[in-house]
Amino acid sequence: MDFLKPVFESGRIDFAGQGHASRLTTVLVAGAGVVSLVIGFAMQRLELCFYAFAVGVVMTYAVVLPPWPFFRKQPVAWLERKTPDAPLADAGPRRTLVEDVSDDNSD
């Protein structure tokens, strides 16, 4: 199981991977529903339909939930943090909303 360790260590997928996982989940769960309906109808057993659907959902989430490498193909390039040119103390006194309202002389 050591070959799966790098897959689970990072735990992060990118934004495109999130969309891909969402679409894959929708397709696989819908497919599991159709297959379970066919199995249940063919065998004329409702409980078999539910069991087949439950197996399909578990298999779907076994595919979608881990952060597989194909969910991390387009990483986000974050911008560097900018340092302000002047310190915040030179910007003048900060006013709160209460001070702004109390200074209103519109009598």
Side-chain angles (χ1 to χ4, degrees):
M1 294 297 262
D2 288 335
F3 66 93
L4 289 177
K5 192 173 183 180
V7 171
F8 293 106
E9 279 182 348
S10 74
R12 296 187 179 146
I13 62 175
D14 55 30
F15 294 119
Q18 289 175 4
H20 184 66
S22 177
R23 285 188 302 276
L24 188 61
T25 301
T26 302
V27 168
L28 290 177
V29 168
V34 169
V35 168
S36 68
L37 185 66
V38 169
I39 290 172
F41 186 75
M43 300 291 185
Q44 291 294 306
R45 293 186 63 190
L46 187 61
E47 67 181 85
L48 193 60
C49 177
F50 289 137
Y51 289 140
F53 183 69
V55 168
V57 168
V58 168
M59 288 173 45
T60 296
Y61 289 117
V63 169
V64 174
L65 285 180
W68 300 109
F70 61 88
F71 290 138
R72 294 180 284 171
K73 286 188 176 181
Q74 300 172 358
V76 176
W78 297 100
L79 298 176
E80 292 295 322
R81 182 178 178 185
K82 293 182 181 179
T83 57
D85 294 335
L88 290 177
D90 293 343
R94 299 181 84 185
R95 297 178 62 174
T96 63
L97 181 60
V98 175
E99 290 171 349
D100 290 340
V101 172
S102 64
D103 289 343
D104 188 17
N105 294 326
S106 61
D107 292 329

